[in-house]
Structure formats: structure tokens, C-alpha cells
Amino acid sequence: MRKITILFFVVFYLIFLPKAFSGKITVSTIKNFTYTIPVINYDTDKRITFKNGKAFIGEPLNSNYVYFEISKYKFADINGDGKPDAIVVFIEYVGVSGAVYFLTAIIQEGNKLVQTNTIEFEDRCQINKIEVKKIHSKPEIFLDMMVHKPTDASCCPTQRVIRCLVLKNNYLAQCE
């Protein structure tokens, strides 16, 4: 009987208790992570758990409904510790046509994951590519983006820009 009890607890532990961080960030990790996100309709940051790269707040067809979707991600060592981190771009869909882009990063610190600050980009911009390059021995994040010229329709940005970000003390900032 004792062996059955022990076996039951082992099976229960393996199935139902949350798994500890395995030491490697995966696609599943970033698509099912709990992010702290600035939410435009709520004028505050909220902790939101994504499931398969998607999340929402509120009820559809209500004015407080906000839908989130991960649009791009890149695995790279951005803090210089030799372990891969994750750069995550997500879109916050607000109202009928608003689509605001945000970027954050998930950093490995020992056996835990830490989210950096979140950077907001303009409404309906397009982030085409994320690259990480070592410049002067420090990793820098380069975003190939399309943004709006003053004459562009809101749907269709046409001005290509390269934005540069760097991680300083787990805080994403513009490159100097």
C-alpha cells in the first residue's frame, strides 16, 4: 500500500505541479509567459498570461476589450552572459482599428526568467526584422521598421527606419 501511495504522489507531482524553468527559453516559454504590459484602455500596466501567443482582457464587443498577439520574437544573448534571452514583439489591438506595437525582453537570471521594461511604438507601424549585433563587445538590438510619414494613410506606413536598443541593468533603452 505504501508503494502505491508514493507512486500516486510522484505521478500527481509530475502531472499537476508547475514545471520549474528548465534553463532554456523556448517558443513555448514566450508564447505562454505572464507579461507585465501597459494596457492603453486601462491607463496602467497589467499582468497578462498569454496562451499560445495570444491573450485578452474584457469581453468582446465591450469598450474595455483588448486583444494581444505575439507577432515576432528573436532568441539572442542580449545581456552578455552567454545564455540566450528572448526579444518579444506583441501587438495590442484596441477598438476597431488600433494596433499598437510593443517590445519587451525575457532575460535568464540564474534559474528564473525576468521581463525587462516594455517599449511602445507608434500605432500600426511594422516591425520587419529583429537583429542582434555585438557593437564594442555589447549586444545591441536593431529593428528594421516601417513608420508613418506625415503624408501616409494610417493603414500604410512607408518610411523605413532602423531603431537601435540596448539592455542596461535589465532596462531596454535607445542606443547612444
Side-chain angles (χ1 to χ4, degrees):
M1 183 67 173
R2 183 180 169 131
K3 288 181 184 180
I4 292 173
T5 303
I6 292 171
L7 181 62
F8 171 77
F9 283 113
V10 169
V11 170
F12 179 83
Y13 176 79
L14 291 174
I15 294 173
F16 294 107
L17 292 181
K19 293 181 173 64
F21 174 58
S22 68
K24 183 177 179 188
I25 298 176
T26 65
V27 172
S28 179
T29 305
I30 64 170
K31 287 188 171 186
N32 298 288
F33 193 75
T34 299
Y35 293 91
T36 300
I37 298 174
V39 181
I40 293 170
N41 279 6
Y42 291 80
D43 292 325
T44 186
D45 289 355
K46 291 205 174 278
R47 290 185 51 78
I48 301 167
T49 300
F50 278 63
K51 293 198 179 359
N52 296 318
K54 299 174 182 170
F56 65 90
I57 298 175
E59 295 297 321
L61 304 177
N62 284 345
S63 61
N64 67 345
Y65 182 72
V66 183
Y67 175 74
F68 304 90
E69 183 175 32
I70 293 174
S71 68
K72 284 197 176 355
Y73 52 86
K74 171 91 175 175
F75 297 105
D77 177 19
I78 62 170
N79 62 355
D81 67 356
K83 295 184 236 167
D85 306 301
I87 303 157
V88 182
V89 175
F90 57 89
I91 307 168
E92 181 176 323
Y93 295 98
V94 181
V96 177
S97 63
V100 181
Y101 282 71
F102 292 89
L103 181 140
T104 192
I106 302 172
I107 307 300
Q108 292 188 57
E109 286 190 348
N111 63 352
K112 65 180 181 170
L113 299 176
V114 177
Q115 181 187 346
T116 67
N117 59 309
T118 301
I119 296 176
E120 178 180 345
F121 295 105
E122 70 177 71
D123 187 21
R124 290 173 262 193
C125 68
Q126 296 171 359
I127 300 176
N128 301 319
K129 188 175 183 182
I130 305 168
E131 287 188 291
V132 176
K133 298 178 185 176
K134 279 202 173 181
I135 309 291
H136 307 294
S137 76
K138 292 196 101 180
E140 293 185 2
I141 303 165
F142 293 91
L143 304 171
D144 182 336
M145 302 175 62
M146 298 298 281
V147 298
H148 293 88
K149 292 192 286 190
T151 56
D152 288 344
S154 62
C155 69
C156 311
T158 62
Q159 181 175 346
R160 183 174 181 242
V161 297
I162 305 292
R163 297 227 171 115
C164 179
L165 301 171
V166 65
L167 188 70
K168 296 179 183 176
N169 299 318
N170 285 355
Y171 186 85
L172 290 168
Q174 295 287 333
C175 295
E176 297 173 0

